[in-house]
Amino acid sequence: MSLMTEKSPIQQLEQREEIVRVTNVEKSFGTHRVLEDINFSMKAGEVVAIIGPSGSGKSTLLRCLNQLEPPTKGTIKLAGIEIDASKNATKKQLTELRRAAGMVFQSFNLFPHMTALANVSLPQQRVLGRSKSESDKRSLALLKRVGLEGKADQYPVRCSGGQQQRIAIARALALDPKIMLFDEPTSALDPELGLEVLAVMKELAEGGMTMIVVTHEMHFAETVSDRVIIMADGRILEEGPSASIMRNPQTERAQRFLQAVKNR
């Protein structure tokens, strides 16, 4: 009889490779400091939710991770690509970084003059060098995965907000990223359409996709993510296992934020 015991989810996570490490990151716009002394890491396959009041630096942190906003100070290592803010990132580093990190924005950012299929296929042809037929095949599979196989020939204007965001998720997945970054993906949607998007994100999480999600969806943060980071005033207030942080925050500022959200 085997004496081996099945590892717990926490033990399994601890053995996975580190995919993100953020060290002493700061970001300033002129004299206004938006991020201050940000430090955290995460493992492959982990889902981290970043929550906090508006203006706390959550979206800026996400944009620093893929260098849409280069940090003022510190280092970011993502999927083996390390960029030090004291040096200019090379074009090769930025290309590799943006292949490794799929980004989903609040406002969808789809090309309005292209069909859903073309929106998902074009980046594959431009970035990965795939043929049109290869790209379209991959795109159709991804549109089916997000529940939109019947919308391939539709233009964004003919799709609901929830459908547009799911097309945007398919587009990000088409580049085979190692991590997905979501910047408040449901904030522009009414609750019913937001649920469509959250269902796709939950399916991705359950499938093992590494994800960082900036969100105001507290139920998603508590039940889908492995860990929660609470930010305020450009700093990380607390981080830890999702249920523990959401139900029993230790700092007074985090307690105030979560109480306000629950009483809304």
Side-chain angles (χ1 to χ4, degrees):
M1 183 176 68
S2 173
L3 297 178
M4 293 181 65
T5 58
E6 187 175 345
K7 292 182 176 67
S8 70
I10 292 176
Q11 288 173 321
Q12 292 172 1
L13 187 59
E14 286 173 348
Q15 292 187 348
R16 295 177 189 169
E17 66 174 333
E18 184 177 88
I19 194 167
V20 174
R21 178 165 290 275
V22 176
T23 308
N24 304 129
V25 162
E26 296 186 359
K27 175 64 180 178
S28 297
F29 294 101
T31 59
H32 179 50
R33 185 176 291 175
V34 181
L35 297 175
E36 184 172 356
D37 195 29
I38 302 294
N39 295 273
F40 74 94
S41 63
M42 62 184 293
K43 302 279 191 177
E46 192 174 11
V47 179
V48 172
I50 303 178
I51 65 173
S54 297
S56 59
K58 306 182 300 295
S59 293
T60 300
L61 173 57
L62 210 63
R63 293 172 70 84
C64 283
L65 289 177
N66 67 0
Q67 300 293 313
L68 287 175
E69 293 288 355
T72 309
K73 178 183 175 183
T75 60
I76 292 173
K77 186 175 183 180
L78 190 152
I81 305 146
E82 184 168 353
I83 298 179
D84 188 328
S86 66
K87 307 167 189 174
N88 289 328
T90 66
K91 184 177 180 180
K92 182 174 183 288
Q93 282 179 313
L94 293 176
T95 299
E96 290 177 347
L97 182 70
R98 287 166 187 163
R99 284 183 184 176
M103 183 83 172
V104 177
F105 300 88
Q106 298 178 42
S107 53
F108 323 141
N109 289 9
L110 299 175
F111 293 114
H113 62 290
M114 292 184 180
T115 63
L117 181 66
N119 265 283
V120 181
S121 289
L122 183 64
Q124 299 175 63
Q125 297 168 46
R126 294 280 176 85
V127 178
L128 302 180
R130 288 176 179 161
S131 66
K132 184 178 185 304
S133 61
E134 186 182 10
S135 298
D136 285 351
K137 182 178 179 181
R138 172 74 169 144
S139 298
L140 288 169
L142 286 169
L143 287 170
K144 183 177 181 179
R145 184 176 181 182
V146 299
L148 294 175
E149 63 268 37
K151 294 289 184 178
D153 295 327
Q154 295 287 344
Y155 289 89
V157 71
R158 301 293 300 272
C159 299
S160 70
Q163 290 169 342
Q164 289 184 59
Q165 192 62 292
R166 284 185 280 156
I167 294 168
I169 292 172
R171 178 183 59 187
L173 290 171
L175 298 183
D176 303 321
K178 295 182 179 178
I179 182 171
M180 289 281 285
L181 310 176
F182 293 87
D183 187 9
E184 299 193 25
T186 61
S187 65
L189 306 174
D190 66 42
E192 189 173 359
L193 296 179
L195 286 175
E196 298 174 357
V197 175
L198 291 172
V200 170
M201 293 170 63
K202 183 178 180 182
E203 185 268 330
L204 290 176
E206 291 172 346
M209 174 61 73
T210 309
M211 297 162 56
I212 300 179
V213 184
V214 170
T215 184
H216 289 296
E217 303 281 357
M218 297 299 111
H219 181 72
F220 179 92
E222 181 173 340
T223 61
V224 178
S225 69
D226 300 295
R227 244 186 330 135
V228 164
I229 293 174
I230 303 181
M231 292 184 65
D233 304 317
R235 288 178 168 271
I236 292 177
L237 295 178
E238 300 187 33
E239 67 168 304
S242 302
S244 175
I245 291 292
M246 298 292 289
R247 297 174 190 176
N248 190 29
Q250 299 301 302
T251 61
E252 186 272 338
R253 182 68 184 91
Q255 290 168 4
R256 275 196 291 128
F257 167 71
L258 287 170
Q259 192 64 37
V261 169
K262 290 173 183 177
N263 289 338
R264 191 166 56 184

